[in-house]
């Protein structure tokens, strides 16, 4: 039982490049989330998916797109990376208890 | 909108000292309240939670009581250890249960 897994763990991009962050959970949770963590700002919600087939914007969705591929997988895409998107990205999942289970994070640097 | 405010860090304590990290919230309805902990290089993990007023969450010697009258959920531990060094996040989940709002986090350093 791996919980929530994320790939890659680290990534360096040049401005304008694109990439997709992958997330998968094996807990059969309905809801999945993408956050970014920046120093002194806690976690900010980028997008979430309350259930398979639905996605909604969070607090900071600009510059990102998401796909809920199936119940297990929720990917985050940066179409044209900018230095302001340098951050640590966390995927999480949850069920009715509202407790969130987090992956180990992806550390992204955009130069 | 809903929000969470927690004390700024870093907090530096000696081993066996008493810990308090303050957390207050603003929310409509009846949110659930959480404390999460993040160890270096890892994702957040649940430390404790409380789902209604006057509930006390507890885990690993940490406690927090859901105080609706003061809209607070302060984290306490009677005797901290070096292994408690981490970043602590206070959070609330709205009544619908889909979205969680996190505080900015408080970094704790415990010296031997």
């Amino acid at each position: 039982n791996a919980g929530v897994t994320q790939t890659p763990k680290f990534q360096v991009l040049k401005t304008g490049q694109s990439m997709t962050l992958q997330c998968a959970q094996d807990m059969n949770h309905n809801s999945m989330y993408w956050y970014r963590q920046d120093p002194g700002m806690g976690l900010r919600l980028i997008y979430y998916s309350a259930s398979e087939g639905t996605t909604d914007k969070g607090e900071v969705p600009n510059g990102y797109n998401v796909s809920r591929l199936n119940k297990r997988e929720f990917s985050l895409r940066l179409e044209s990376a900018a230095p302001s998107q340098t951050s640590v990205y966390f995927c999480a999942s949850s069920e009715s208890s509202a407790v969130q289970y987090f992956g180990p994070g992806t550390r992204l640097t955009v130069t | 909108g809903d929000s969470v405010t927690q004390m700024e860090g870093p907090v530096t304590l000696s081993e066996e000292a008493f810990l308090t990290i303050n957390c207050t919230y603003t929310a409509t309805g009846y949110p659930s309240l959480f404390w999460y902990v993040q160890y270096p290089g890892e994702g957040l993990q649940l430390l404790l939670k409380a789902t209604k007023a006057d509930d006390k969450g507890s885990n690993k010697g940490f406690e927090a009581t859901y105080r609706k009258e003061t809209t607070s959920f302060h984290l306490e531990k009677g005797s901290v250890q070096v292994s408690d060094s981490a970043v602590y996040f206070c959070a609330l989940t709205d009544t619908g249960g889909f979205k969680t709002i996190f505080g900015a986090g408080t970094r704790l350093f415990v010296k031997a």
Side-chain angles (χ1 to χ4, degrees), chain B residues 17-32:
Chain B
F18 185 86
L19 168 71
T20 300
I21 300 178
N22 291 336
C23 171
T24 57
Y25 68 91
T26 302
T28 54
Y30 301 95
S32 294

Side-chain angles (χ1 to χ4, degrees), chain B residues 36-106:
Chain B
Y36 286 84
V37 59
Q38 184 180 31
Y39 298 103
E42 298 183 8
L44 281 70
Q45 57 186 273
L46 179 70
L47 180 61
L48 54 84
K49 69 174 185 177
T51 58
K52 61 184 188 297
D54 300 325
D55 266 2
K56 177 187 283 189
S58 61
N59 186 24
K60 300 181 182 178
F62 291 89
E63 294 182 340
T65 301
Y66 190 143
R67 300 284 188 203
K68 190 165 173 59
E69 64 276 12
T70 55
T71 61
S72 65
F73 193 54
H74 304 321
L75 182 68
E76 296 182 335
K77 186 175 186 184
S79 176
V80 294
Q81 305 300 311
V82 172
S83 57
D84 294 327
S85 297
V87 181
Y88 292 82
F89 291 90
C90 185
L92 68 82
T93 298
D94 63 13
T95 319
F98 289 133
K99 290 201 290 185
T100 297
I101 308 296
F102 289 87
T106 301

Side-chain angles (χ1 to χ4, degrees), chain A residues 33-83:
Chain A
Y33 309 80
W34 276 105
Y35 295 92
R36 59 179 288 171
Q37 183 178 29
D38 301 294
M41 301 189 74
L43 274 77
R44 293 183 292 171
L45 183 64
I46 304 171
Y47 271 94
Y48 68 102
S49 172
S51 60
E52 186 178 356
T54 69
T55 60
D56 285 286
K57 295 178 180 179
E59 181 185 356
V60 289
N62 290 346
Y64 305 95
N65 285 300
V66 291
S67 296
R68 183 74 182 267
L69 304 170
N70 48 55
K71 192 171 186 179
R72 289 188 65 247
E73 298 173 287
F74 188 39
S75 62
L76 178 72
R77 183 160 178 84
L78 286 69
E79 291 291 352
S80 179

Side-chain angles (χ1 to χ4, degrees), chain A residues 19-35:
Chain A
M19 78 162 295
T20 299
L21 282 65
Q22 306 287 354
C23 173
Q25 52 94 8
D26 62 3
M27 294 172 283
N28 203 37
H29 287 166
N30 279 313
S31 301
M32 297 186 73
Y33 309 80
W34 276 105
Y35 295 92

